[in-house]
Amino acid sequence: MTAIDIESLVEPPAAMPLPPIPTPPSQVAQFPRTEETPEGCIVIDDLDTDDFLYSTYITHETYVTRALADGTELPLGVDIYTPFHDDGNMPNGEPEAGWPVIVYMRGAAFHKPNPSTFNSLYIRLAEKGYVVVVPEYRPSDVAPFPAQMQDCKTAVRYIRANAERLGIDSERIGLFGDSAGGHTVLMAGFTGDTAPDTPDYQPVSAEVKCIVDWYGPTDFAMMNYYPSSQNHAPAECPEGMEIGGVNVLEHPELSRNASPMTYLDADRVTPPTLIMHGGRDLLVPFNQSCRLYATMRALGKDVTFYKLGNASHAAYGFRSNRAVGLVLDWLAERL
């Protein structure tokens, strides 16, 4: 092995071993900087801020057990993504009142969701200082509308009732959902403590501070009147199953009952709402979000609408730092 005289290539050591420099986490950024720079080392002096701040601790709990029509029971779980620091190199950063919360309802065409398919998004949100709560919910073939939005409201009440244990701020809870999950959070957020509801964890409130809707359906009866890769009318289609396994176009009243717009009223406070939808969405026509946006604006509601012109359904734009950044910027002002 070739012998290398390392001492001649690096800064000379101190004459004696140095005592430790006591440095609490709040002073880590002020620890003395070394100016040692070996030949060929590239120095970057304009990078001293972390883009993602917190590590993420993931736990799982059961938040409710539902009795089904066939007499069986269905326990519903919730995954909780909590920000934390796993070492002493950074200040804790946890707000005195607890972390703000995002309850995320994962879309699955109203069928059984696989929440973990959006793990990267949950972690991105948790890295920024939000506790992200991802509940399971009853699928439409087990329990149709309004079961999904009722499960969402039950999950909100569950985490609010357990706020101290979970380290969260019970006054700072928002909803976020994509596709069918977007429909669910709109329904839950617009209705809050009013019907359709359940008695679980009452009288704890299900009201939330804000809603983020990514490309959620809002008016089932109109989906077939705009370009789509699917037929949204048959009883077996996602929307048909959600309203009880019937043809959507033959039951406009059921579609109306399952429309978030039905539950908007000029006299009832509505949480600020962010809508994002892709201009090339092949599963939920872009017009669905236009209908919601137009209705909310006409009623004087606080609503923001981003059209990602070339984005598809959950892709080609939605899986980007820029899209997630728009959501984070909006949440920072409202949650």
Side-chain angles (χ1 to χ4, degrees):
M1 179 181 295
T2 303
I4 299 175
D5 181 8
I6 293 182
E7 299 304 327
S8 68
L9 301 176
V10 301
E11 183 175 303
M16 298 287 291
L18 300 174
I21 303 173
T23 309
S26 62
Q27 297 178 19
V28 166
Q30 286 74 50
F31 188 85
R33 166 176 163 154
T34 177
E35 298 303 326
E36 181 176 11
T37 307
E39 182 179 353
C41 172
I42 300 171
V43 179
I44 300 174
D45 273 331
D46 61 349
L47 183 58
D48 58 7
T49 303
D50 295 312
D51 292 325
F52 56 93
L53 186 57
Y54 301 105
S55 299
T56 305
Y57 184 60
I58 306 172
T59 56
H60 182 84
E61 303 180 7
T62 296
Y63 73 94
V64 72
T65 298
R66 296 296 194 202
L68 303 183
D70 62 3
T72 62
E73 292 187 336
L74 177 65
L76 296 176
V78 60
D79 293 325
I80 303 174
Y81 296 70
T82 303
F84 84 113
H85 291 315
D86 56 1
D87 55 45
N89 289 334
M90 299 173 66
N92 176 43
E94 180 176 347
E96 185 175 347
W99 300 105
V101 181
I102 298 170
V103 176
Y104 195 102
M105 303 302 287
R106 181 71 176 99
F110 301 108
H111 299 312
K112 182 177 174 59
N114 181 2
S116 64
T117 55
F118 259 31
N119 270 347
S120 59
L121 177 58
Y122 313 147
I123 290 172
R124 282 171 180 259
L125 298 172
E127 286 170 348
K128 294 296 185 178
Y130 296 97
V131 168
V132 182
V133 176
V134 187
E136 297 175 320
Y137 54 83
R138 287 169 289 176
S140 59
D141 59 342
V142 168
F145 177 86
Q148 295 73 35
M149 56 94 82
Q150 290 173 327
D151 291 342
C152 179
K153 293 200 285 189
T154 299
V156 170
R157 290 192 173 103
Y158 174 81
I159 61 168
R160 181 167 273 138
N162 290 277
E164 184 175 356
R165 177 176 64 83
L166 296 173
I168 65 171
D169 185 345
S170 62
E171 299 302 314
R172 299 171 66 195
I173 300 177
L175 301 178
F176 190 170
D178 67 290
S179 195
H183 174 272
T184 298
V185 298
L186 290 169
M187 290 296 313
F190 288 175
T191 59
D193 290 329
T194 64
D197 210 343
T198 67
D200 305 282
Y201 305 109
Q202 297 274 13
V204 177
S205 177
E207 300 284 345
V208 296
K209 295 282 286 186
C210 60
I211 305 166
V212 179
D213 160 38
W214 272 10
Y215 43 85
T218 63
D219 190 343
F220 298 166
M222 296 305 299
M223 294 180 78
N224 263 15
Y225 291 88
Y226 295 85
S228 176
S229 65
Q230 292 186 341
N231 186 346
H232 299 279
E236 64 274 12
C237 77
E239 297 76 24
M241 290 296 295
E242 175 65 352
I243 60 174
V246 298
N247 186 286
V248 171
L249 297 180
E250 294 174 0
H251 294 83
E253 74 287 355
L254 295 179
S255 176
R256 187 163 48 251
N257 289 341
S259 169
M261 282 91 78
T262 300
Y263 301 86
L264 290 170
D265 188 282
D267 296 328
R268 171 176 161 77
V269 175
T270 302
T273 301
L274 171 63
I275 306 168
M276 295 179 70
H277 207 131
R280 298 181 186 272
D281 196 314
L282 71 166
L283 298 179
V284 177
F286 179 76
N287 174 263
Q288 291 284 293
S289 287
C290 296
R291 290 175 175 274
L292 173 63
Y293 180 64
T295 301
M296 295 189 73
R297 278 178 58 89
L299 292 171
K301 304 300 184 182
D302 180 351
V303 59
T304 303
F305 188 10
Y306 286 114
K307 176 182 181 179
L308 306 189
N310 292 311
S312 183
H313 194 80
Y316 296 99
F318 281 96
R319 298 174 186 268
S320 70
N321 291 329
R322 187 174 177 188
V324 175
L326 290 171
V327 173
L328 287 166
D329 289 345
W330 187 87
L331 286 172
E333 296 181 1
R334 293 164 178 84
L335 188 59

